[in-house]
Amino acid sequence: MAELPVVLLPVAVDDDALDACLAALEAGTPAGTRVWLADDAQAGPRGLAIIERWLARTRLQAEYTRRQRRLGEVAHIDQALAACGDDDVIVLAADAVPAPGWARQLAACAARDPSIATATPWCNAGETAAWPRSGEVSALPDDHELGRLSRAAEGMAPVHAELPAAVDHAVYLRGRARRRAGGLDSASYASWYAALIDLSLRMSGLGWRNALCETAFVARGGEGGPADGDLDALAARWPRWHSRLAEFLMHDPLHAERAALGRRLEGLEPPAQRELFVGAVDAAPASDTTGQRAEA
């Protein structure tokens, strides 16, 4: 297997979310994958202890850096991306919970189509890439359900449909496209959420694509969001953005893909359990429909 791109994880202040993210990253990412924990002076004493403990045990090729003074989310991520040169990078939110195989599937998505500038996986809180319903936040899946979602997604047809822009729970960034578009605009935006949208639209204007990676899933406790003034800045630079996003969420051009993932997930029921279910239904009285639904 070819070496995966570096995973950039900008450290945030939520210690519990960071702990869960690092545990999932460890469990679902191939050993030796390069991981950069970039801390913009965000982690407190407990967060630092979590990071130190994880670094001592991880199978991944991990590095941790910390600024002495906070630079700001967008400028900090932009500097980290610039340090990677033209290399492709996967940016993972510090409160995300990646499913098994997530990084490998994102890399495979980008490798299939050189016009893809960004690849975004499914997410229970992923706005345009949300599953099971577009634009809705669903409950964070537990480890068992996340593993099933990973298996279901891996069997999806790799169509890599177009998204209006990348979404910030996890995104594969093609280095050449990012550099050509000029990187992140830290002067205009204070949040990674808005700066990523702006970068996606600039790369799209240069002929690149923002694609959905149907074969990967990354969970999250809630959606990312803009900082104060970011939506106004987006509207000033991209007057059609908000209406385009609203139209996408309203009409959901990815409805068929969402339904297909749901069907694949339902089809993962082990054969032995299916046989038990059929036997229970056959043995139940014909009028006991409530019992049958409960058994299902």
Side-chain angles (χ1 to χ4, degrees):
M1 181 181 67
E3 185 180 61
L4 294 175
V6 64
V7 176
L8 173 63
L9 194 158
V11 175
V13 297
D14 189 330
D15 299 337
D16 291 333
L18 176 63
D19 197 14
C21 177
L22 292 177
L25 184 64
E26 181 73 21
T29 312
T33 300
R34 295 166 296 161
V35 177
W36 181 3
L37 276 62
D39 187 352
D40 189 26
Q42 293 291 286
R46 181 168 177 262
L48 291 172
I50 289 170
I51 292 169
E52 183 178 354
R53 182 171 64 249
W54 183 81
L55 289 172
R57 300 175 181 177
T58 183
R59 305 167 300 113
L60 307 176
Q61 185 180 332
E63 179 181 357
Y64 170 71
T65 60
R66 178 181 174 89
R67 296 187 61 85
Q68 293 302 310
R69 294 183 179 179
R70 188 168 189 269
L71 182 63
E73 184 177 47
V74 178
H76 179 60
I77 295 176
D78 190 50
Q79 284 193 2
L81 292 173
C84 296
D86 285 344
D87 291 347
D88 298 348
V89 177
I90 301 175
V91 183
L92 178 68
D95 60 348
V97 183
W102 72 289
R104 175 172 48 82
Q105 292 297 334
L106 283 173
C109 171
R112 290 187 188 101
D113 184 352
S115 72
I116 290 176
T118 70
T120 301
W122 294 113
C123 182
N124 61 296
E127 201 171 65
T128 56
W131 183 90
R133 289 173 292 277
S134 176
E136 295 187 14
V137 177
S138 300
L140 183 71
D142 60 24
D143 291 345
H144 174 70
E145 188 67 8
L146 193 58
R148 295 182 74 245
L149 281 165
S150 172
R151 290 168 54 201
E154 284 185 358
M156 290 281 289
V159 178
H160 306 324
E162 191 83 13
L163 291 174
V167 190
D168 64 340
H169 54 279
V171 58
Y172 188 110
L173 286 174
R174 195 178 298 276
R176 289 189 297 110
R178 174 183 54 78
R179 287 283 290 253
R180 185 178 173 193
L184 302 179
D185 184 355
S186 59
S188 301
Y189 307 99
S191 68
W192 165 234
Y193 169 91
L196 178 60
I197 292 172
D198 175 70
L199 176 64
S200 299
L201 295 176
R202 281 186 280 126
M203 291 189 293
S204 179
L206 292 171
W208 302 86
R209 297 182 59 233
N210 300 296
L212 172 70
C213 180
E214 302 95 336
T215 58
F217 200 101
V218 171
R220 194 176 192 183
E223 288 181 335
D228 290 344
D230 279 352
L231 293 182
D232 291 337
L234 281 171
R237 180 171 293 175
W238 308 101
R240 295 190 62 253
W241 165 248
H242 294 302
S243 60
R244 181 185 175 193
L245 176 61
E247 183 176 349
F248 188 97
L249 294 173
M250 183 182 303
H251 297 290
D252 189 14
L254 299 179
H255 174 76
E257 285 80 1
R258 294 180 219 278
L261 179 56
R263 289 193 298 271
R264 293 197 61 84
L265 186 66
E266 291 176 356
L268 289 179
E269 192 72 25
Q273 291 188 21
R274 266 199 277 254
E275 290 171 6
L276 288 173
F277 167 71
V278 171
V281 172
D282 290 344
S287 62
D288 189 11
T289 56
T290 301
Q292 291 180 25
R293 284 197 298 270
E295 189 71 20

